[in-house]
Amino acid sequence: MDVLVRLQSRAPLPACLPQVSRQRLVAMTQWRFFLAVLAFASQATTATAQTVWPVANPEDRGLSSSPLDSLDAAIASGLYGNVNRVVIVKDGFLVVSNRYDRDYQSISAGLQGALGCGFQACKAGEENAAYNYYSPNTHPFYQGRDVHTLQSVTKSVAATVLGAALANGDIGSLATPLLPFLSDYDTRDVDPRLHSATLEDLLTMRTGIEWHEQDRPLNETNTTIQLERSDDWVQFTLDQPSDAAPGEKWVYNSGGSHLMSAVVFDATGMTIDAYAEEHVFGPLAISDYHWKETPQGLPDTEGGLYLEAEQLAKIGYLYLQGGMWHGQRILDESFVKQATARQVDQVNSAGWGYGYQWWRLDRDTVPVWAGLGFGGQYLLVLPDYDLIGVINSWNIFGQRVRPVLPAFLDALLAAHG
């Protein structure tokens, strides 16, 4: 019913939206309303059709429980801060599903800063703003539901939806130039070099657009903070200067990731959440989610998706299965291989690689595919071990805690032996 209410009560689209986009988004909103009515009418039927992970003990799947138990105890003690959830899937079996209750009203109470305002610290109308990261009503869980903010793990899921559009023929090739998909926006003043940027350049964060995200604090000097405060995220990104030719330089760029939303909309005539419902979430039986929208009405593909942890694990399993899900092809196998490959090597001092909005955190000779998100959101896939790990956290309040990611990966590797 939440989707139904949201679509019924949608505010008018901003006048600054290009007229073509306004017309298409209005039509898409009407279609999404129709789909929501159908989904609500058949809720009882679809609820019984959900795919559920079969459950097993770690030992039953060849894992040692000792490292996993040690991690659980450390998380429960608060060593790693506000960890909310740990899920581990081995060979398609759910072997760990741990929850850790955190009182975000108390944690956020009275706090104010560049990321928002906490419980009882907001002015009227500010607390429930979509990008108020301190609000316990909207972060980390959405409105008290099980769906948890994924932050930049959204990028990996959005790339998956784009990959589905590629598999379906709605997008011809990743070698296709990027800018024709953005013809509804003003590209007259973009750097001439950007005209040669391809969809693959976009997915690998090598468009050449200048962006300051990882090299700036979380304040008004950070380009992504500026993006989230702008009225038109796509136009804001296109208005940034370029400092390299496409394919020449890797720079972490959340604005570029949001362009995926506009690309899928242009290519398919559907917003990326609606396309995901039909071609990814639907087949994977992911029905409960929330996807924040930007002021333009496009879903936020740089960090706006909320999923429950066991549902997120399905995305990892889809990649483990080479793009297949219960006999249905969702992604081309070649896309899966390229998306998780080291398209760009040594992107940081840790020696990580980067694929199509997926990280490579390889440990020694063990390949590790990863979606990583702000505040402690992790989707890890160890393909050689048929192992998937998900962690949700919300460590954004300035507390000094140990990072859980290396400990989580250590535990997964030690459990496998």
Side-chain angles (χ1 to χ4, degrees):
M1 191 61 177
D2 176 70
V3 174
L4 184 62
V5 172
R6 178 168 62 89
L7 292 177
Q8 281 180 318
S9 61
R10 179 192 294 275
L13 292 171
C16 58
L17 187 68
Q19 187 61 31
V20 174
S21 291
R22 285 175 55 81
Q23 293 170 349
R24 294 172 70 187
L25 273 174
V26 167
M28 195 60 237
T29 296
Q30 294 170 342
W31 175 245
R32 290 161 72 186
F33 176 76
F34 174 69
L35 289 178
V37 172
L38 291 179
F40 177 70
S42 61
Q43 184 176 9
T45 301
T46 57
T48 60
Q50 293 283 319
T51 299
V52 178
W53 293 110
V55 178
N57 293 321
E59 285 79 6
D60 295 338
R61 308 312 306 172
L63 297 178
S64 169
S65 62
S66 179
L68 307 179
D69 291 342
S70 294
L71 177 68
D72 174 50
I75 290 173
S77 75
L79 182 64
Y80 301 110
N82 301 318
V83 177
N84 308 123
R85 196 83 161 84
V86 174
V87 163
I88 300 173
V89 174
K90 176 72 168 78
D91 303 328
F93 288 82
L94 183 67
V95 295
V96 171
S97 182
N98 295 335
R99 298 175 184 270
Y100 309 88
D101 293 332
R102 311 292 178 188
D103 180 0
Y104 285 101
Q105 284 195 355
S106 298
I107 292 169
S108 70
L111 295 179
Q112 289 183 307
L115 295 176
C117 51
F119 181 63
Q120 295 183 337
C122 299
K123 297 178 182 177
E126 291 181 350
E127 183 166 344
N128 291 324
Y131 295 92
N132 176 10
Y133 293 104
Y134 284 174
S135 170
N137 291 332
T138 55
H139 292 88
F141 296 97
Y142 183 72
Q143 298 294 320
R145 288 157 53 185
D146 279 343
V147 293
H148 193 286
T149 179
L150 301 187
Q151 294 299 297
S152 288
V153 182
T154 300
K155 296 174 169 69
S156 307
V157 180
T160 302
V161 181
L162 193 151
L166 189 69
N168 296 334
D170 292 319
I171 293 175
S173 166
L174 294 183
T176 306
L178 167 65
L179 289 184
F181 290 97
L182 307 174
S183 59
D184 287 342
Y185 299 87
D186 186 357
T187 59
R188 290 173 297 179
D189 295 329
V190 302
D191 189 294
R193 293 174 291 183
L194 191 59
H195 286 276
S196 65
T198 65
L199 292 180
E200 186 169 48
D201 292 324
L202 181 70
L203 289 175
T204 58
M205 294 199 178
R206 293 186 293 181
T207 60
I209 295 173
E210 183 177 352
W211 201 265
H212 298 284
E213 181 169 354
Q214 293 189 328
D215 61 341
R216 298 284 172 85
L218 291 172
N219 59 28
E220 63 279 356
T221 69
N222 189 294
T223 317
T224 296
I225 295 293
Q226 297 169 15
L227 170 83
E228 293 189 354
R229 294 176 181 175
S230 70
D231 293 329
D232 185 335
W233 290 22
V234 175
Q235 193 63 56
F236 175 88
T237 301
L238 292 173
D239 288 343
Q240 301 308 301
S242 292
D243 59 3
E248 186 176 271
K249 177 182 178 182
W250 183 89
V251 174
Y252 193 77
N253 181 339
S254 287
S257 296
H258 181 62
L259 296 184
M260 290 190 291
S261 192
V263 167
V264 170
F265 181 62
D266 183 83
T268 69
M270 303 173 70
T271 52
I272 196 167
D273 57 342
Y275 197 84
E277 284 182 12
E278 185 171 334
H279 298 287
V280 180
F281 292 173
L284 272 58
I286 297 174
S287 59
D288 189 19
Y289 71 94
H290 175 67
W291 208 323
K292 294 192 291 189
E293 294 180 354
T294 70
Q296 291 294 298
L298 288 173
D300 164 11
T301 50
E302 59 102 17
L305 181 60
Y306 291 64
L307 282 179
E308 193 275 329
E310 291 182 24
Q311 301 292 333
L312 177 59
K314 294 178 180 179
I315 300 295
Y317 198 69
L318 175 65
Y319 279 78
L320 268 182
Q321 299 300 305
M324 296 288 292
W325 186 264
H326 294 305
Q328 180 179 352
R329 179 153 296 284
I330 309 298
L331 303 172
D332 289 335
E333 187 174 10
S334 60
F335 177 84
V336 170
K337 290 179 179 178
Q338 293 302 310
T340 57
R342 282 180 170 258
Q343 299 290 343
V344 190
D345 208 6
Q346 304 292 322
V347 298
N348 59 18
S349 59
W352 294 356
Y354 202 75
Y356 294 165
Q357 309 285 295
W358 284 85
W359 297 85
R360 287 289 299 261
L361 316 186
D362 306 346
R363 182 72 66 84
D364 298 325
T365 61
V366 179
V368 180
W369 311 336
L372 308 178
F374 174 63
Q377 323 315 320
Y378 306 119
L379 168 60
L380 304 184
V381 181
L382 282 63
D384 290 357
Y385 298 164
D386 203 359
L387 190 59
I388 299 163
V390 174
I391 279 190
N392 291 137
S393 315
W394 202 230
N395 289 320
I396 71 161
F397 301 101
Q399 68 273 48
R400 297 181 66 85
V401 298
R402 291 189 187 180
V404 72
L405 176 59
F408 188 36
L409 182 52
D410 285 346
L412 292 175
L413 292 170
H416 187 273

